[in-house]
Amino acid sequence: APHLFANARIRGSTGTTAMPDGNLSPSPAHMITCLMATAGLSGSVQLQPRIHLTSKEKHEAKEWQECIFIQSTALSAGRPNLLKEWGVDRWQTVVDALQSEYRLVQIGGPSDPLLKGAIDLRGHTLGLRKVAAMLSQARLFLGLESGYMHLARGAGCPGVIVFGGRLSPDQAGYEGFLNISRNPTCSPCWRYTGCEFDHQCMHDITPAEVITVTKNWLAATKPPLPNMVINLTNDEQQRIAKSLTSTGYTLNTKPAR
């Protein structure tokens, strides 16, 4: 059976190496592939997380069917990154354009800026499994390259994701999602600090583009999210692992808690 990212129980980085300035070097492959490679795994690999929810958990979340879940920022993450941010005002413009037709629900940290017109479920008192169950019933997740993006895919919820250019969707995104990205010459940089181009890869993505992409997605007939599987050969596994360890990457293999 394919190795499942959610069951790998590996705790550590996501397939990158830390640089002296605190930034990260670009990943040589999708982050899940990197995790598998550094764990010494090869063979069939599913490039998506899985969250196994009980029937009871899904049933209790049915009130959120057809909702659109949205975040205003990812700055409440354990390691916040300003270079991932698109701007609260831009997200508010998206909410303003959708709220008359759709039921929007905001998730995020308790200090995340409020999006007017969305149901306010900010804060972490729900727990990740509860949020995952809600996402499993939702129509769409709208947000950033963030933990919620991965949680949505694990729960089987499609997403429209504002990537910009810091990461490539090929390195961290999921097939079947609509990933809005830019590819300037500096991309993907994987930086946490500093940008000589004033965050242009994010500024170039307009609210009008996100609104149009989202409305077109909502109006279309969509197949289920694809199950993306790759075959990680022994040679490729060793190449990726060598690429990471040669630049100082270390894997913490302590069991996840």
Side-chain angles (χ1 to χ4, degrees):
H3 299 302
L4 299 183
F5 172 57
N7 293 338
R9 300 183 67 78
I10 298 169
R11 187 189 232 170
S13 182
T14 53
T16 61
T17 54
M19 306 298 284
D21 59 3
N23 289 308
L24 299 175
S25 63
S27 172
H30 194 283
M31 61 171 59
I32 296 177
T33 306
C34 289
L35 284 169
M36 297 299 101
T38 51
L41 298 174
S42 60
S44 185
V45 177
Q46 292 187 7
L47 290 186
Q48 61 267 332
R50 291 281 184 89
I51 299 171
H52 298 284
L53 298 166
T54 66
S55 298
K56 180 181 178 181
E57 286 174 315
K58 292 179 182 179
H59 178 75
E60 291 175 348
K62 281 191 176 294
E63 65 178 292
W64 305 105
Q65 285 181 340
E66 296 301 305
C67 288
I68 297 175
F69 281 67
I70 189 169
Q71 63 181 151
S72 65
T73 177
L75 291 180
S76 58
R79 188 180 181 186
N81 185 348
L82 285 170
L83 298 182
K84 289 185 178 184
E85 293 297 300
W86 188 49
V88 176
D89 290 345
R90 293 178 174 221
W91 285 119
Q92 185 63 61
T93 301
V94 174
V95 171
D96 293 344
L98 298 176
Q99 64 174 321
S100 63
E101 298 179 66
Y102 304 99
R103 190 179 177 208
L104 290 101
V105 180
Q106 183 181 359
I107 52 177
S111 61
D112 289 359
L114 178 67
L115 295 172
K116 297 178 181 178
I119 298 169
D120 182 11
L121 289 184
R122 293 171 301 158
H124 300 293
T125 57
L126 291 172
L128 286 179
R129 288 195 66 85
K130 177 69 173 179
V131 176
M134 295 160 70
L135 286 167
S136 76
Q137 304 300 307
R139 188 170 185 179
L140 182 68
F141 170 69
L142 266 172
L144 302 163
E145 183 272 310
S146 64
Y148 280 124
M149 176 191 77
H150 301 296
L151 192 66
R153 182 60 189 89
C157 175
V160 172
I161 309 299
V162 178
F163 258 87
R166 178 182 173 269
L167 274 68
S168 164
D170 291 340
Q171 296 171 318
Y174 299 110
E175 193 170 307
F177 278 31
L178 287 176
N179 300 308
I180 305 174
S181 62
R182 293 294 185 268
N183 189 30
T185 56
C186 56
S187 174
C189 67
W190 282 74
R191 287 190 173 193
Y192 272 86
T193 60
C195 176
E196 295 86 349
F197 305 100
D198 192 31
H199 211 192
Q200 198 61 45
C201 63
M202 276 298 202
H203 293 324
D204 282 351
I205 299 173
T206 65
E209 179 180 357
V210 175
I211 292 165
T212 298
V213 166
T214 302
K215 285 188 172 182
N216 288 343
W217 187 94
L218 291 166
T221 301
K222 293 158 289 296
L225 289 174
N227 184 24
M228 187 175 177
V229 179
I230 66 164
N231 181 41
L232 182 61
T233 66
N234 289 332
D235 287 347
E236 185 68 2
Q237 179 266 319
Q238 292 173 19
R239 182 194 69 80
I240 294 171
K242 183 178 180 181
S243 171
L244 292 167
T245 55
S246 66
T247 49
Y249 174 87
T250 58
L251 179 68
N252 180 356
T253 54
K254 293 180 180 179
R257 295 179 181 177

